[in-house]
Amino acid sequence: MALNLYSYVVNPFTEDAFFDEKLFAKHAKLANRFMDDIIDLEEEKIKAIIAKIESDPETDDIKSVEAKLWENILEKCQQGRRTGIGITAMGDMLAAMGLRYGTPKATDFAEGVHKILAVNVYKGSVELAKDR
């Protein structure tokens, strides 16, 4: 999942433009929870595929390769709840805020945005661990 950074710029392309850090932080946590929920849905669908393979009329030696593949995929899903939250529209965000891409000021700002993302996705992971 990628969060669109441009959508967090308030008053874009004006002198009053600013990045809504609080909303971005909130959405980073929510995106992490959303991606974690998708893992549950994936496991459910994989189990349905395995059940379908098991109920197929073919012999076990014919079904075994496909069944083993899906069993391995399910095992990997269950071993770790790996999610990924990324960003998009970095250049658009910087331009909307009047920052020139590649300048020290823009680079420092972009680094700060990435810190907000990392910290809040991590916090979201901690909250998920407590909930689950």
Side-chain angles (χ1 to χ4, degrees), residues 8-29:
Y8 298 97
V9 178
V10 179
N11 303 318
F13 300 103
T14 69
E15 290 184 14
D16 298 326
F18 69 94
F19 188 78
D20 191 337
E21 293 181 8
K22 287 183 180 181
L23 184 61
F24 180 63
K26 176 183 174 183
H27 287 175
K29 286 181 183 178

Side-chain angles (χ1 to χ4, degrees), residues 3-104:
L3 298 174
N4 185 322
L5 296 178
Y6 177 76
S7 67
Y8 298 97
V9 178
V10 179
N11 303 318
F13 300 103
T14 69
E15 290 184 14
D16 298 326
F18 69 94
F19 188 78
D20 191 337
E21 293 181 8
K22 287 183 180 181
L23 184 61
F24 180 63
K26 176 183 174 183
H27 287 175
K29 286 181 183 178
L30 287 173
N32 193 49
R33 181 171 288 274
F34 177 76
M35 292 302 293
D36 189 72
D37 289 344
I38 287 176
I39 292 170
D40 291 335
L41 294 174
E42 287 174 342
E43 286 183 14
E44 182 181 316
K45 293 301 178 185
I46 293 167
K47 288 175 183 176
I49 291 168
I50 292 170
K52 169 68 171 86
I53 293 168
E54 289 171 354
S55 71
D56 283 345
E58 289 88 7
T59 60
D60 286 343
D61 60 321
I62 292 175
K63 299 188 290 185
S64 66
V65 173
E66 186 177 12
K68 184 66 177 164
L69 168 71
W70 286 105
E71 289 165 5
N72 287 340
I73 292 170
L74 179 61
E75 182 180 347
K76 292 298 177 191
C77 281
Q78 293 170 337
Q79 284 177 347
R81 302 185 70 83
R82 293 174 181 88
T83 62
I85 310 299
I87 53 98
T88 187
M90 175 69 75
D92 294 336
M93 174 202 64
L94 293 172
M97 295 186 53
L99 299 171
R100 186 172 175 200
Y101 193 90
T103 63

